[in-house]
Amino acid sequence: MAESKPITKNVDWMVVLIYIACLMIGWLNIYAAVYNPETQTSMFDLSNNAGKQLMWIGTAALLIICILVIDYKFYETFSFVIYAVVIFLLVVVLFAGSNINGSRSWIKLGGISLQPAEFSKLAVSLAISKYLSDPAISLNRKLKDYYPIMGILALPAFLILLSNETGSMLVFASFAIVLYREGMPGFIPAIGIIGAALLIITLLFVKWYIAGAIIVIAGLVIWLMPVMTRRRGGLWATIIVAFAMIGIVFGVDFFMNNVLQKHQRGRIMVLLDPDSDPRGIGWNVIQSKIAIGSGGITGKGFLQGTQTKFDFVPEQSTDFIFCTVGEEHGFLGTAVVVFLFIALISRLVVLAERQRSRFARVYGYCVAGIIFFHFLVNVGMTIGLMPVIGIPLPFFSYGGSSLWSFSVLLFIFLKIDAQRPFTLSRG
Amino acid sequence: MLESRRFVIIGFIALVGVIYLLRLFYLQVLDESYSIESSSNSIKRVTEIPFRGQIYDRYGKLIVYNTPVYDLLVTPYKVRMDDTLRFCQVLGIQRRDFDSLMSAASAYSRVKPSLFLRQLSKEDFASIQDIMVDYSGFEFAKSSLRTYTAPTLANTLGYVSEITKGQLDKQEEPYYRQGDYIGQSGVERIYENELRGKRGTKFVMQNVAGVYKGPWKNGELDTMAVAGENLYTGLDLEVQQYADSLMLNKVGSVVAIEPKTGQIISMVSAPTYDPNSLASRYFSKNFAALARNPYKPLFNRPVMASYRPGSTFKLIQALIGLQEGVITPGSGFTHANCPVGCHNHPATSTVALGVTHSCNPYFYNVFRRLIYKNNIKNTFKASAVGLDAWHDDIAKFGIGQRLGIDLPSEYKGNLPDKKYYDRFYGEYRWKFSNIYSLSIGEGELLITPLKMANVAAIIANRGYFYTPHVIHGVGDKKSVKPEFLEKHETGVEPHNFEPVIEGMIGAVEAGTARRSRVEGISIAGKTGTSQNKRGDDHSIFIAFAPVDDPKIAIAVFVENAGAGGSAAAPIANLIIEKYLSRKVTNKALEERMMKLDLMSKVVLPTTKKPGETETKKKAEEVKKPTGDPNDPANRLPGAPHPANPAAMRKPVTAILPKQSQQKAL
């Protein structure tokens, strides 16, 4: 039987190597983040985060072995079951969860705390993949085919929102990449991106200038448009789009002041001008930028960071772990991390594209999209390009739940990919 | 078709990667504002204050040095204390004080050290250190206090204290920070840059709460503090203290200069105070008491107090007269036709005799000849031209000029010229008869004790002087400021000094100062009696000795002591003897002078006008337009006007005869 071939032969070693590299770099930086020159502890000491992270890495390895051993069909077959279990856990956590940092999102089992929200990514990915594996589903023709997807996304999102973990909920935005690949019209993500861009531009510049610029650009577009396109309604489409954009620009004020909550507004304003609230919301951004900026080209050296020690940057070993890389290893270090992520995500996209089954491809895109969204928001937040949203940097940030969930997410895909030569295309 | 969308997706991912790399490159490489020195808040610069330079006397004896003292700091959250009572006992504080100090420290910060007890002496430190092993949370920080070997020279040396808000704001380059110490007066202020040394810098790490976390980079970038440069003075500590004892219970000044170099040998500003009292942890209390003292012990009289020179000025008149050729050494004048009075004395048929007997009419005539020397018919015009010529000659003696001594706030004095009187009377509306008081050192002339000591030095040198200075060597190389090596000529030829010096010898041997002559030392001197409105005349004496090889030139001013021969001359001659022979023979005179108490004669201002500052008044007073030559600056130096306006309106005519009678002594 083909399936008796060792899994090691078919698994994608490039992804595995990047994964191991990320874990090791992350672990060393967690040690640097918690390192205290006065009371030095070993990086294997279980009393500090680095030691604990090593334990999480060890257990993640066990999980990976389990995943690779379990038959690949299991995941597709039990997709909805896994989804149901996670939804159940999300409900349970609302009532039985322990309160950590203001969000009731942790389940304590003995000495270990687990965050079901972390596993909701996996569950949603599997559920969406399973749903889209039906070849009859078409995302570019039938609107009613979107309804189940909306349901799959909305249920956990609502539960996560109730437990006050907005960051984890926003991750669901990453599924837009999957849906786009599977046929969602391009204008939907385009509208999202343009809307976000307009929001930020509006906050930075005078509204009338932006409106003027939009009209000028619209005029140019109409002028350069092929005559045929113009006649076929391109003229009116452009004019409507331009007016819609101007509407957004003037709606931003309303949106900022009446729709967003105060702390959310604060996070967006701080993104634009961190000094507006240097001791409050701006503190994290300023300290984070100081830490990264002070690293220079080559950094201060391993364990030589000063900003990331002594509690200047909050959440150093978890959400702001990238600061430690930036301060101690400089631009070279951060560039390596950025390259690792871009390489990993691109490789996952390539792997996803070579899948024969639609389930596998969709799931591959889900994995790539989730990792990409985490990378986009987490790194963007530390360098002041994104609002402060508390989500971890995959494989780097300290934390068992996140490490486990990313590892499981990734290696289920690797397992499926490893079986690719033996599966038949169904979609 | 949909497969091609993967390129859009990968393109988008790559675009984000590129944007992030550019942003990181900007933050980490291009933008300097995040470099460690400018924005780090985890690295703290700790400044190490070096020892100030020490000050030595002319024989190498230490005058000022530093004593290490210890500030006791407490970090509240670390405090573990079993036996609070014993702790308080050893520190010598009450339980109540302990509680309030602790709560103040806790209120400031529980994790940062704050000051518990300030400036503990070495002895206290030694006794406390033993028991400190039983108490955690306390630590010592070393600092230093200025210490003075003798309780003297307070005003000359000046004091050091915490920098004031105004000084902080005014500094040109931001060197000082709040809490730094800075020389506030005297030598400490003028030589601040030399004395302060070079501060050291240590970089230490601290956490977000400001708690010390060890040296940064193991101290690689730290710099050591370099102690300030030592200063070498020409002061004679023994003579200085002797002069202090003679000036006890008197208000006045002593300035002694080495004529050949311009070095200050002694400088007394009486009454004085113990400089150690301003270099202790009781600074503010002691300073307030000194500032309140009506005798103004903080006022450095030798360089800041203004007097009229009185008869001592006749020496300069004689020298200018001889140099300008209006008199010869053999010129004689009688008392006839002279508006200034005199006393009974033998005929003054030579310059020397005129000086010896301090004859007022003699110098009235000399001055008259100097003013009218120019042969202009119109006496108004002649007076104007004559006065300016005279002014320029006198100015070369440093009168009405800043000498440039290395002490702060040197008073310029006043030497009137044509413009000065024009302001009062109008141009060509005054003549010799309006200004003749100048001839005998009264009128609008104002000098300081330092200037008169310098005049004595000029005569001792027969025509030149070096700027008087306290410090003649800075640092290990003992480098001298170039301006103190520059010879200032007065333009009077050496041979013209001999008749004047002969007269000065006569004054000491047989004239106005005969009662205080010293056996075995040839002293040339001249008394002066400075008129003032507040109480008795000031007693003035300037002298130098030995005559043939002058080693000391001196000026003594004793306020309200009467004639020059009564107090100033004996004190000056005792100091000269002490300096030249290191002992004093006339023990009776010495004892009498030490016991002489003139404080009751000093008239103090009773009340102050509210809202007016002293300096403002001084400025007003100097400029005060008045037709009467006797009027300006009739005041106690540094003291504000009396509140009684009647004193100011006193008719001038009532003073004049009395003045003319008394003043020739």
Side-chain angles (χ1 to χ4, degrees), chain B residues 112-246:
Chain B
K112 284 189 235 178
S114 50
L115 197 61
F116 191 77
L117 278 184
R118 182 190 286 274
Q119 294 167 348
L120 296 164
S121 70
K122 210 157 67 181
E123 292 73 30
D124 291 344
F125 171 67
S127 66
I128 293 168
Q129 207 187 17
D130 282 345
I131 69 148
M132 273 304 161
V133 289
D134 298 338
Y135 303 95
S136 61
F138 290 89
E139 60 191 304
F140 290 98
K142 218 166 146 185
S143 66
S144 71
L145 272 185
R146 280 310 233 185
T147 312
Y148 303 83
T149 46
T152 182
L153 286 164
N155 278 311
T156 309
L157 299 171
Y159 63 93
V160 174
S161 79
E162 226 175 278
I163 190 164
T164 64
K165 183 94 181 35
Q167 286 170 324
L168 264 181
D169 296 342
K170 263 201 314 206
Q171 56 181 329
E172 281 162 21
E173 45 183 305
Y175 179 85
Y176 297 96
R177 297 145 320 149
Q178 192 160 11
D180 279 349
Y181 278 72
I182 185 172
Q184 294 287 13
S185 68
V187 168
E188 297 273 16
R189 175 162 146 198
I190 295 291
Y191 291 93
E192 168 67 18
N193 289 357
E194 288 82 1
L195 285 169
R196 70 187 180 193
K198 225 177 118 215
R199 286 198 295 230
T201 309
K202 272 198 322 196
F203 292 94
V204 298
M205 298 190 287
Q206 59 176 21
N207 74 358
V208 72
V211 176
Y212 174 74
K213 289 282 180 187
W216 185 49
K217 288 193 173 179
N218 295 319
E220 271 170 42
L221 300 175
D222 298 0
T223 53
M224 292 291 289
V226 180
E229 294 191 283
N230 294 338
L231 299 183
Y232 299 89
T233 70
L235 294 163
D236 183 328
L237 202 54
E238 195 185 340
V239 170
Q240 173 71 30
Q241 284 187 274
Y242 182 69
D244 276 336
S245 64
L246 291 172

Side-chain angles (χ1 to χ4, degrees), chain A residues 48-285:
Chain A
N48 67 41
N49 282 0
K52 283 186 200 158
Q53 182 75 355
L54 196 59
M55 188 192 79
W56 294 122
I57 291 172
T59 49
L62 291 176
L63 273 179
I64 289 165
I65 290 169
C66 293
I67 289 164
L68 295 180
V69 167
I70 292 171
D71 190 283
Y72 76 100
K73 291 190 191 105
F74 171 84
Y75 309 108
E76 187 173 355
T77 314
F78 287 91
S79 292
F80 289 123
V81 177
I82 293 170
Y83 181 78
V85 168
V86 169
I87 294 293
F88 173 72
L89 285 176
L90 283 173
V91 174
V92 168
V93 85
L94 281 181
F95 298 101
S98 2
N99 198 335
I100 295 178
N101 293 335
S103 51
R104 295 181 75 85
S105 58
W106 297 78
I107 292 177
K108 278 208 165 159
L109 288 172
I112 303 167
S113 304
L114 282 178
Q115 212 177 1
E118 284 293 338
F119 296 96
S120 64
K121 292 168 226 168
L122 171 66
V124 171
S125 300
L126 287 172
I128 287 182
S129 307
K130 177 74 183 166
Y131 171 71
L132 288 178
S133 67
D134 181 350
I137 305 291
S138 169
L139 291 177
N140 50 358
R141 284 197 295 275
K142 288 178 278 180
L143 187 63
K144 73 173 171 59
D145 284 352
Y146 280 93
Y147 298 151
I149 295 175
M150 292 299 146
I152 290 169
L153 285 171
L155 186 58
F158 176 69
L159 291 169
I160 290 168
L161 196 63
L162 282 182
S163 66
N164 218 354
E165 274 281 311
T166 327
S168 301
M169 192 199 76
L170 288 172
V171 175
F172 291 169
S174 60
F175 291 109
I177 293 174
V178 181
L179 299 179
Y180 171 70
R181 168 61 184 87
E182 295 305 317
M184 182 171 73
F187 70 86
I188 296 176
I191 285 174
I193 290 169
I194 290 172
L198 276 179
L199 173 78
I200 290 175
I201 290 170
T202 308
L203 295 172
L204 284 177
F205 303 101
V206 180
K207 285 191 275 291
W208 289 106
Y209 289 178
I210 304 165
I214 291 170
I215 289 169
V216 169
I217 291 168
L220 279 174
V221 168
I222 291 167
W223 183 53
L224 294 171
M225 209 178 263
V227 179
M228 283 305 288
T229 319
R230 202 187 298 172
R231 284 207 188 128
R232 274 190 211 147
L235 174 70
W236 290 107
T238 312
I239 290 172
I240 289 166
V241 166
F243 273 98
M245 285 167 82
I246 293 169
I248 291 172
V249 167
F250 285 92
V252 162
D253 253 352
F254 179 81
F255 177 71
M256 285 291 286
N257 294 322
N258 303 323
V259 178
L260 287 183
Q261 287 180 19
K262 198 177 170 229
H263 72 276
Q264 291 166 329
R265 188 160 61 238
R267 283 176 181 179
I268 293 175
M269 289 315 292
V270 160
L271 172 69
L272 301 172
D273 180 15
D275 297 326
S276 64
D277 186 11
R279 285 271 147 189
I281 296 166
W283 170 264
N284 294 1
V285 178

Side-chain angles (χ1 to χ4, degrees), chain B residues 321-338:
Chain B
L322 288 166
Q323 181 64 32
E324 293 294 324
V326 298
I327 51 168
T328 63
S331 300
F333 296 100
T334 66
H335 288 182
N337 299 324
C338 180

Side-chain angles (χ1 to χ4, degrees), chain B residues 389-630:
Chain B
W390 175 83
H391 172 276
D392 294 347
D393 286 340
I394 303 286
K396 288 182 188 155
F397 283 76
I399 308 295
Q401 322 295 316
R402 268 189 199 92
L403 291 176
I405 189 176
D406 46 357
L407 287 176
S409 315
E410 188 196 351
Y411 178 53
K412 197 169 148 213
N414 192 38
L415 176 63
D417 57 3
K418 172 175 173 291
K419 265 194 222 149
Y420 185 86
Y421 288 113
D422 284 351
R423 249 184 295 147
F424 297 160
Y425 300 99
E427 200 173 18
Y428 305 130
R429 306 218 16 209
W430 55 273
K431 56 181 179 172
F432 176 74
S433 56
N434 298 94
I435 60 167
Y436 66 80
S437 292
L438 296 177
S439 63
I440 55 171
E442 298 291 338
E444 292 81 357
L445 274 172
L446 286 176
I447 49 83
T448 61
L450 176 73
K451 284 190 212 305
M452 292 321 288
N454 191 46
V455 168
I458 291 169
I459 300 170
N461 287 335
R462 276 84 171 164
Y464 66 89
F465 71 94
Y466 290 98
T467 302
H469 51 278
V470 181
I471 304 301
H472 66 76
V474 175
D476 295 336
K477 288 187 212 143
K478 302 197 178 179
S479 53
V480 192
K481 285 193 178 178
E483 60 262 38
F484 295 151
L485 294 173
E486 193 187 326
K487 196 172 182 177
H488 300 278
E489 294 286 351
T490 57
V492 179
E493 289 162 67
H495 68 87
N496 285 330
F497 281 87
E498 295 313 326
V500 175
I501 292 170
E502 193 188 318
M504 290 171 76
I505 296 167
V508 176
E509 294 293 320
T512 48
R514 59 189 175 275
R515 277 170 293 176
S516 58
R517 56 188 284 270
V518 180
E519 288 298 333
I521 299 175
S522 56
I523 301 175
K526 179 77 195 81
T527 57
T529 306
S530 173
Q531 279 261 300
N532 71 99
K533 267 190 192 152
R534 206 161 297 128
D536 293 352
D537 295 338
H538 301 323
S539 174
I540 305 179
F541 187 67
I542 70 169
F544 65 90
V547 171
D548 298 325
D549 179 23
K551 291 198 158 54
I552 180 170
I554 192 167
V556 176
F557 284 57
V558 185
E559 291 188 13
N560 307 106
S566 62
I571 289 172
N573 289 350
L574 286 167
I575 293 169
I576 288 171
E577 190 182 6
K578 180 78 179 178
Y579 179 69
L580 293 178
S581 52
R582 312 310 293 181
K583 60 176 174 36
V584 171
T585 47
N586 195 342
K587 288 288 176 193
L589 184 67
E590 175 185 84
E591 203 189 327
R592 193 156 55 78
M593 283 302 129
M594 283 183 179
K595 283 196 174 152
L596 182 64
D597 187 344
L598 295 168
M599 295 310 262
S600 59
K601 288 190 147 192
V602 175
V603 180
L604 294 169
T606 47
T607 50
K608 286 183 180 180
K609 283 184 197 165
E612 233 178 316
T613 64
E614 214 171 279
T615 43
K616 205 169 139 196
K617 263 179 226 161
K618 198 195 278 179
E620 269 171 23
E621 211 165 329
V622 172
K623 280 191 233 135
K624 191 173 155 68
T626 160
D628 176 55
N630 297 303

Side-chain angles (χ1 to χ4, degrees), chain A residues 36 38 177 180-184 186 283 287 289-290 292-294 296-297 300 306-307 310-312 322 326 330-331 334-335 338-339 342 345 349 353 365 372 375-376 379-380 383 385-386, chain B residues 1-6 8-10 12-14 16-29 31 34-36 39-43 205-209 212-214 216-217:
Chain A
N36 184 335
E38 277 193 335
I177 293 174
Y180 171 70
R181 168 61 184 87
E182 295 305 317
M184 182 171 73
W283 170 264
Q287 295 304 325
K289 276 157 73 180
I290 289 175
I292 293 175
S294 64
I297 298 175
K300 297 172 190 168
T306 52
Q307 297 303 117
F310 313 140
D311 312 322
F312 283 98
F322 192 68
F331 179 68
T334 54
V338 170
F339 272 122
I342 299 301
I345 297 161
V349 170
E353 284 293 341
Y365 265 106
F372 173 68
F375 165 78
L376 176 80
V379 173
I383 56 180
L385 291 180
M386 284 278 160
Chain B
M1 187 188 87
L2 287 176
E3 269 155 42
S4 64
R5 284 192 171 182
R6 66 178 145 175
V8 178
I9 292 168
I10 289 187
F12 183 63
I13 292 167
V16 168
V18 169
I19 290 173
Y20 280 14
L21 282 177
L22 288 175
R23 172 68 171 177
L24 284 164
F25 188 75
Y26 171 75
L27 274 182
Q28 299 190 286
V29 182
D31 192 344
Y34 297 108
S35 67
I36 192 71
S39 70
S40 170
N41 36 21
S42 59
I43 311 298
M205 298 190 287
Q206 59 176 21
N207 74 358
V208 72
Y212 174 74
K213 289 282 180 187
W216 185 49
K217 288 193 173 179

